[in-house]
Amino acid sequence: GLDVGQYGVSTNFDVSTSTYEGAMSISAKHTQPRGIAWNSDGTKLFIVDTTLFPTYAAGVNEYAAPTPFTLGGPPTYTRSFSLSSQDSTPFGIAFNADGTKMFISGDQNNAVFEYALTTGFDISTASFTDSFSVAAQDTAPRGLTFNTTGTKMYVVSAAGNDVNEWILSTGFDVSTASYSQNFSVAAQETAPKGISFNPEASKMFIVGDYGDDVYEYRIDQLLTLGSGSFAAADVGKTIEANS
């Protein structure tokens, strides 16, 4: 059946320590679920679908979770929001920190769509704002995510089997995006669908449809020197560089 699975991880962000804990059935409202996201405190769950039941149109469903970040309960359906006017085959979903912006990646138009929410994480208050084409790099966009400040956007490609990165000069504003680089995951997965990072961005996770696996990647943090200088009075002080 159609469901969302939950796994417990005994060591944070280490998929080798995960154990299956159960699932939540979503067959009553979904026929082709794709992307998934939580709000910041885990009290709301959002699921993107290319053909929501019973409307059979592309959209996103919102669920209320009685226990934060837990499928036990289970979360109950609250409302839906149509995406059909922008894209008929949406896949990925992401929010900014306070939920006043929602982002959807669409396979029909090979673009990322930005929506404004007047009430954070309440999709009934969403309205379309802007879109950004990723077609030059990605003709099959799937999952997407941002860094914490919204100055970097990552989209998984099922065409190139890679992750593409864009730099946003204004955080969480896709109209300011410019292409940066990509990273191939083809050696591990030829049908990547989802992407996520840990808060420190030292680990990246890719979920794949071909291997039915979650792949974990380590991202080495590099320190870079700026153009500043130190005075004699600075000797003995401690500084924090790049977190």
Side-chain angles (χ1 to χ4, degrees):
L2 301 175
D3 56 37
V4 178
Q6 176 177 312
Y7 295 79
V9 184
S10 58
T11 300
N12 290 348
F13 297 104
D14 182 347
V15 297
S16 68
T17 68
S18 62
T19 54
Y20 179 68
E21 294 182 340
M24 162 194 166
S25 174
I26 56 173
S27 58
K29 293 292 182 180
H30 294 267
T31 60
Q32 296 187 60
R34 297 293 185 253
I36 183 173
W38 292 87
N39 68 342
S40 54
D41 64 5
T43 56
K44 287 188 176 184
L45 172 67
F46 303 88
I47 302 175
V48 174
D49 201 309
T50 58
T51 51
L52 289 175
F53 183 82
T55 60
Y56 296 104
V60 54
N61 277 342
E62 177 184 318
Y63 295 82
T67 304
F69 296 111
T70 301
L71 299 178
T76 56
Y77 170 76
T78 305
R79 57 181 63 90
S80 64
F81 177 78
S82 175
L83 302 169
S84 298
S85 296
Q86 285 73 53
D87 204 280
S88 63
T89 52
F91 269 84
I93 180 172
F95 291 88
N96 67 343
D98 63 3
T100 54
K101 286 191 175 185
M102 178 176 70
F103 303 88
I104 301 291
S105 57
D107 186 43
Q108 179 193 17
N109 296 300
N110 299 322
V112 174
F113 303 91
E114 178 182 321
Y115 301 81
L117 286 71
T118 55
T119 301
F121 296 109
D122 182 347
I123 61 174
S124 69
T125 68
S127 59
F128 174 66
T129 302
D130 204 352
S131 66
F132 176 77
S133 175
V134 298
Q137 290 79 32
D138 190 355
T139 57
R142 296 298 185 253
L144 84 158
T145 190
F146 293 81
N147 66 346
T148 55
T149 58
T151 54
K152 289 187 177 183
M153 178 175 71
Y154 306 88
V155 180
V156 176
S157 172
N161 300 322
D162 57 9
V163 177
N164 290 293
E165 175 188 278
W166 285 264
I167 304 297
L168 285 69
S169 57
T170 300
F172 295 110
D173 182 349
V174 297
S175 69
T176 69
S178 58
Y179 183 67
S180 175
Q181 60 185 329
N182 74 328
F183 175 79
S184 176
V185 297
Q188 292 79 43
E189 177 60 56
T190 56
K193 295 297 175 64
I195 181 172
S196 183
F197 291 87
N198 66 341
E200 297 79 21
S202 60
K203 287 188 175 184
M204 178 176 72
F205 303 89
I206 299 293
V207 61
D209 190 37
Y210 179 77
D212 295 332
D213 290 323
V214 176
Y215 303 91
E216 177 183 320
Y217 299 83
R218 188 189 72 202
I219 302 175
D220 293 329
Q221 304 297 299
L222 301 177
L223 295 178
T224 57
L225 295 178
S227 59
S229 61
F230 293 95
D234 294 322
V235 175
K237 291 182 179 179
T238 301
I239 62 172
E240 182 178 342
N242 296 355
S243 299

